[in-house]
C-alpha cells in the first residue's frame, strides 16, 4: 500500500515540479521580452500622448481647413498654416526661416518662383512647408506626387489649395502636369516642389530628379533652393517618436534660369546638388561645433 502510494506520488510530484519550472521559465521570458518592448521606454507614453493630440486636433482643424479652401484659397492657406503651428507646438518643434534673398532685392518679378526642396528626409517636414505657404511670395501651389495628395484630409486640403498632381508612372500625364505648372508660374504663381520626390531613408541626399529643373527652365523662372536643417533629427525615417527641437529653414540665393534651354537641365540639377551638399556640410559642421562646446 505504501509502495503503491509512493510510486503513484512520484509522477505527480515530478509533473508538479515540471509545471513550476515551466511557469517560472515563462515568467522570466515574459519579463525579459516586456523589458525590450516600447512600453518600458521612457519616451513611449509622451509619444503616445503627442500623437493622440495630433490626431484629435487634426480631424476638426483639417476638416474646417478643407471646407475653407473650397471657398477661398488664401483663407485655406492661413488655416493650414495655423494647423501646422498647432502641431509644431504639440510636438515641441520650433523653426525659423533664414532667407538669403531679403538683402538681395527680395522677390520682385512678374513671374512666380520655383521653391525647390533639396533634402526630403522626414514626415515632420509637412509641418514646416505648410507653415511657409502664406509667407511665400505671390500665390503659391504645390507640385506633388498623387500619393501625397491622397493622404486623407491633409492631402485633400493641399489639393484643394490648387496643387498640381503628377503620376510618376504615367509619363504623358507627367508632361501635361509640367506644362500646367509652368503656365501657372508664368502667370505669377510660385511653386513648391521636392527635387527628390520621396524621403531619404538614411538622411543622405537621394537621387536628384530633373523635373524641378525642367519646370523652372520651361517657365523661365528663378529657383529658390530650400533646405531643412534638423527636420530629420526631430522624426527620423521609420520611427514614431518625435524628438522636440529646433529646425532651420534656409531659402538659398535665387538661381536664375532666364535664357536656359532644355539641354541645360543636367547642369542646373547638378548646381542644385552642389548647393545642397554645401548647406548640409555647413549645417553638420555647425552642429558638431555646438556639441563640442
Amino acid at each position: 500500500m505504501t509502495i503503491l502510494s509512493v510510486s503513484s506520488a512520484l509522477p505527480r510530484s515530478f509533473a508538479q515540479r515540471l509545471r513550476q519550472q515551466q511557469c517560472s521559465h515563462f515568467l522570466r521570458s515574459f519579463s525579459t521580452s516586456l523589458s525590450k518592448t516600447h512600453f518600458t521606454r521612457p519616451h513611449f507614453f509622451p509619444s503616445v500622448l503627442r500623437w493622440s493630440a495630433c490626431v484629435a486636433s487634426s480631424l476638426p482643424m483639417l476638416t474646417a481647413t478643407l471646407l475653407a479652401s473650397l471657398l477661398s484659397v488664401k483663407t485655406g492657406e492661413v488655416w493650414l498654416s495655423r494647423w501646422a503651428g498647432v502641431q509644431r507646438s504639440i510636438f515641441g518643434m520650433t523653426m525659423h526661416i533664414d532667407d538669403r534673398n531679403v538683402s538681395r532685392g527680395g522677390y520682385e518679378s512678374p513671374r512666380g518662383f520655383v521653391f525647390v526642396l533639396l533634402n526630403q528626409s522626414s514626415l515632420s517636414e509637412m509641418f514646416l512647408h505648410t507653415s511657409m505657404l502664406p509667407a511665400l511670395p505671390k500665390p503659391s501651389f504645390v507640385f506633388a506626387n498623387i500619393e501625397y495628395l491622397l493622404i486623407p484630409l491633409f492631402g485633400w486640403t493641399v489639393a484643394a489649395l490648387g496643387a498640381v498632381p503628377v503620376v510618376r508612372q504615367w509619363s504623358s500625364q507627367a508632361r501635361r502636369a509640367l506644362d500646367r505648372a509652368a503656365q501657372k508660374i508664368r502667370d505669377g504663381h510660385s511653386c513648391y516642389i521636392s527635387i527628390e520626390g520621396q524621403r531619404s531613408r538614411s538622411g543622405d541626399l537621394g537621387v536628384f530628379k530633373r523635373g524641378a529643373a525642367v519646370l523652372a527652365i520651361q517657365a523661365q523662372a528663378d529657383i529658390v533652393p530650400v533646405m531643412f536643417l534638423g527636420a530629420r533629427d526631430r522624426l527620423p525615417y521609420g520611427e514614431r517618436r518625435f524628438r522636440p527641437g529646433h529646425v532651420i529653414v534656409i531659402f538659398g540665393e535665387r538661381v536664375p534660369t532666364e535664357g536656359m534651354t532644355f539641354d541645360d537641365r543636367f547642369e542646373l540639377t547638378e548646381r542644385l546638388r552642389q548647393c545642397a551638399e554645401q548647406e548640409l556640410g555647413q549645417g553638420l559642421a555647425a552642429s558638431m561645433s555646438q556639441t563640442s562646446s
Side-chain angles (χ1 to χ4, degrees):
M1 186 73 176
T2 306
I3 296 176
L4 289 175
S5 62
V6 170
S7 62
S8 62
L10 282 174
R12 288 198 300 269
S13 177
F14 178 77
Q16 185 177 8
R17 289 199 302 271
L18 182 61
R19 285 194 299 270
Q20 290 175 350
Q21 291 176 357
Q22 290 176 337
C23 182
S24 177
H25 176 72
F26 170 77
L27 291 176
R28 285 197 302 270
S29 300
F30 179 75
S31 62
T32 302
S33 62
L34 186 63
S35 65
K36 297 180 180 180
T37 62
H38 296 285
F39 297 99
T40 56
R41 295 180 181 177
H43 301 288
F44 174 76
F45 289 107
S47 294
V48 170
L49 291 176
R50 288 193 179 100
W51 283 111
S52 299
C54 172
V55 173
S57 61
S58 294
L59 289 175
M61 291 189 71
L62 287 178
T63 300
T65 302
L66 176 60
L67 296 176
S69 301
L70 298 175
L71 302 176
S72 170
V73 171
K74 191 62 179 178
T75 302
E77 286 183 350
V78 173
W79 285 24
L80 186 61
S81 177
R82 291 176 179 173
W83 166 81
V86 170
Q87 305 315 309
R88 286 190 286 108
S89 298
I90 290 173
F91 289 107
M93 182 170 65
T94 58
M95 62 172 282
H96 83 266
I97 298 177
D98 179 10
D99 194 341
R100 312 280 174 79
N101 298 291
V102 173
S103 59
R104 299 176 181 270
Y107 297 94
E108 293 297 330
S109 173
R111 297 173 183 261
F113 300 90
V114 183
F115 288 81
V116 182
L117 176 61
L118 302 183
N119 64 324
Q120 185 178 356
S121 59
S122 173
L123 281 177
S124 66
E125 294 160 3
M126 72 169 60
F127 304 143
L128 299 173
H129 72 76
T130 48
S131 298
M132 299 177 339
L133 286 178
L136 294 181
K138 306 179 180 300
S140 58
F141 66 95
V142 176
F143 188 87
N145 297 326
I146 188 65
E147 298 91 345
Y148 181 82
L149 301 178
L150 291 177
I151 298 175
L153 288 180
F154 175 78
W156 304 343
T157 301
V158 176
L161 292 175
V164 175
V166 59
V167 182
R168 292 174 295 177
Q169 299 82 0
W170 189 2
S171 58
S172 60
Q173 189 279 338
R175 287 193 294 269
R176 289 194 299 270
L178 280 172
D179 293 339
R180 180 185 170 195
Q183 185 58 52
K184 294 184 70 170
I185 295 170
R186 286 192 291 267
D187 292 340
H189 293 75
S190 289
C191 175
Y192 179 87
I193 181 175
S194 169
I195 200 167
E196 295 173 308
Q198 59 185 356
R199 287 175 294 147
S200 168
R201 293 176 178 268
S202 64
D204 298 329
L205 293 177
V207 177
F208 273 27
K209 298 179 174 60
R210 293 181 291 275
V214 171
L215 175 60
I217 292 173
Q218 188 171 340
Q220 291 290 284
D222 289 358
I223 290 177
V224 180
V226 179
M227 295 283 293
F228 294 146
L229 301 183
R232 188 176 187 276
D233 296 334
R234 308 286 71 79
L235 185 64
Y237 187 100
E239 293 196 16
R240 299 179 181 87
R241 181 169 73 88
F242 207 109
R243 298 164 173 81
H246 190 65
V247 177
I248 301 174
V249 181
I250 296 178
F251 287 174
E253 296 180 14
R254 290 161 49 178
V255 178
T257 64
E258 187 176 0
M260 289 187 178
T261 65
F262 184 73
D263 294 334
D264 297 316
R265 65 193 187 280
F266 296 101
E267 180 181 351
L268 181 57
T269 302
E270 181 59 28
R271 181 176 176 180
L272 292 175
R273 188 174 188 89
Q274 292 174 0
C275 176
E277 291 173 348
Q278 180 181 357
E279 291 293 347
L280 285 177
Q282 292 176 354
L284 179 61
S287 63
M288 290 179 64
S289 63
Q290 290 177 0
T291 303
S292 61
S293 60

